[in-house]
Amino acid sequence: DSGVTQTPKHLITATGQRVTLRCSPRSGDLSVYWYQQSLDQGLQFLIQYYNGEERAKGNILERFSAQQFPDLHSELNLSSLELGDSALYFCASSRRESPGELFFGEGSRLTVL
Amino acid sequence: EDQVTQSPEALRLQEGESSSLNCSYTVSGLRGLFWYRQDPGKGPEFLFTLYSAGEEKEKERLKATLTKKESFLHITAPKPEDSATYLCAVQASGGSNYKLTFGKGTLLTVNP
């Protein structure tokens, strides 16, 4: 158990809909990272927050947004969903601002029909 | 742009048959190279961090090594429980140093 909690574990929705994925980092970790994993692309970095502030952005679509709350949990919002958004979405946390060793949650599997 | 290429994509070994996985990388200044293990349906689990060429790290049957262009994960006398996908990632020392760039992984299967 990494100590990182993600909900929901599975989500099935339709094209055009909006979903929110939630992540609680390990106790004491200030950084939260979101990654997308698909079969053909591997793990792709989306966005990082450190102590409530956005620190880095990867190839995150404009339809996607995230935030980190004062209690350090984070949410990833995916809107106007398309079939190609079907993937595993992982949250990871680390103690420092720079990643180093990341602790990953078990992921949220999103299926868009 | 940082790039990580892992080979082979898949590797099947018999129990006790030692082998190596390769990770080639291109990065504008390496801050760190990381190895993770991922079991089906789970998130990646951290194994090693390497920071400079010549460095080696060991854990049970696994040993990771680093050169200026690539890293190897050596698996000695593997057991079926070593079956997993092994991921390599790099962290650059430049402006993009808040992310890890991952390779697509090597799927290792160890048969009893």
Side-chain angles (χ1 to χ4, degrees), chain A residues 33 35 37 40-41 43 45 48 55-56 90 97-102 104-106, chain B residues 31 34 36 38 41-44 46 49 87 91 97-104:
Chain A
Y33 303 77
Y35 281 83
Q37 187 175 44
D40 55 342
Q41 293 293 323
L43 266 170
F45 170 71
Q48 181 214 357
R55 273 292 182 264
F90 285 105
E97 188 171 3
S98 181
E101 177 181 347
L102 293 182
F104 283 82
E106 297 207 340
Chain B
R31 184 165 180 157
F34 304 83
Y36 285 80
Q38 186 173 22
K42 302 286 187 183
F46 171 78
T49 307
L87 300 168
Q91 182 184 2
N97 64 359
Y98 291 116
K99 70 170 187 177
L100 297 187
T101 299
F102 282 83
K104 293 186 178 180

Side-chain angles (χ1 to χ4, degrees), chain A residues 35-46 83-90 108-110, chain B residues 38 85 87 102-105:
Chain A
Y35 281 83
Q36 179 192 58
Q37 187 175 44
S38 58
L39 281 174
D40 55 342
Q41 293 293 323
L43 266 170
Q44 298 288 310
F45 170 71
L46 295 178
L83 296 178
D85 297 328
S86 295
L88 260 173
Y89 290 85
F90 285 105
S108 293
R109 182 174 294 280
L110 173 67
Chain B
Q38 186 173 22
T85 296
L87 300 168
F102 282 83
K104 293 186 178 180

Side-chain angles (χ1 to χ4, degrees), chain B residues 66-77:
Chain B
L66 181 65
T67 72
K68 288 189 177 178
K69 297 259 172 127
E70 56 192 351
S71 176
F72 292 92
L73 185 65
H74 306 277
I75 303 176
T76 302

Side-chain angles (χ1 to χ4, degrees), chain A residues 15-47:
Chain A
T15 54
Q17 295 299 303
R18 172 190 168 96
V19 299
T20 297
L21 310 180
R22 182 188 168 101
C23 169
S24 294
R26 283 190 326 158
S27 177
D29 284 359
L30 299 179
S31 278
V32 169
Y33 303 77
W34 286 97
Y35 281 83
Q36 179 192 58
Q37 187 175 44
S38 58
L39 281 174
D40 55 342
Q41 293 293 323
L43 266 170
Q44 298 288 310
F45 170 71
L46 295 178
I47 198 163

Side-chain angles (χ1 to χ4, degrees), chain B residues 25-84:
Chain B
Y25 63 90
T26 303
V27 65
S28 54
L30 180 70
R31 184 165 180 157
L33 184 140
F34 304 83
W35 283 97
Y36 285 80
R37 167 190 171 128
Q38 186 173 22
D39 292 303
K42 302 286 187 183
E45 178 186 347
F46 171 78
L47 291 173
F48 303 110
T49 307
L50 301 167
Y51 293 104
S52 57
E55 189 175 358
E56 297 183 353
K57 292 271 180 76
E58 280 190 71
K59 180 179 179 180
E60 296 180 356
R61 296 176 291 283
L62 301 176
K63 182 168 83 171
T65 62
L66 181 65
T67 72
K68 288 189 177 178
K69 297 259 172 127
E70 56 192 351
S71 176
F72 292 92
L73 185 65
H74 306 277
I75 303 176
T76 302
K79 297 183 178 182
E81 52 262 43
D82 295 322
S83 297

